Amino acid sequence: MAAPRKYPEELRERAIRMAVDLRRDPATKTGALRRVGEQLGINPETLRNWVQQAEIDEGHRPGVTTAEAQRIVELEREVRELRRANEILRTASAFFAAAELDRKLK
């Protein structure tokens, strides 16, 4: 289960939008994340991570998108479940094979 989010989604989107707008203008680019973070009460490093992920999601920066990351998590969960099911079936198969062998030997 995911941890509860510290910041509401609306605040996150607003902060990203403000930071991206400020970074587009060369006059306000330097320190934009720090200024927006201070205005909205968000750690600048957190805001930097949000902006980077938004740029990846929009295709402006290389990396794994949020949707791809979620899909990977789902696939990894499915692989774990399938491996567990296979192990259960392997164990059951060995058990019944041994029981069948015992029955044939008697």
Side-chain angles (χ1 to χ4, degrees):
M1 181 185 230
R5 297 207 176 231
K6 182 176 179 179
Y7 300 102
E9 192 63 31
E10 263 181 37
L11 176 64
R12 179 183 170 136
E13 290 171 5
R14 179 175 173 218
I16 291 169
R17 208 170 34 253
M18 287 174 65
V20 168
D21 288 345
L22 285 174
R23 288 176 67 189
R24 283 190 185 128
D25 183 5
T28 60
K29 184 174 183 168
T30 303
L33 296 175
R34 183 183 45 78
R35 286 194 307 277
V36 171
E38 287 174 359
Q39 288 176 354
L40 299 177
I42 300 169
N43 183 310
E45 190 62 23
T46 299
L47 182 55
R48 184 186 68 78
N49 290 335
W50 291 351
V51 170
Q52 282 183 348
Q53 190 61 52
E55 290 172 345
I56 290 169
D57 289 347
E58 294 170 3
H60 301 299
R61 178 186 287 245
V64 177
T65 66
T66 303
E68 290 170 338
Q70 180 61 35
R71 181 71 178 136
I72 290 169
V73 167
E74 291 169 3
L75 290 171
E76 288 173 344
R77 183 179 304 120
E78 186 176 346
V79 166
R80 278 192 308 274
E81 290 172 9
L82 291 171
R83 285 185 176 156
R84 183 173 168 264
N86 281 344
E87 185 57 35
I88 290 169
L89 290 172
R90 210 175 288 118
T91 303
S93 176
F95 174 78
F96 288 119
E100 181 65 21
L101 182 62
D102 284 346
R103 188 184 65 78
K104 286 183 179 179
L105 291 177
K106 287 183 181 183

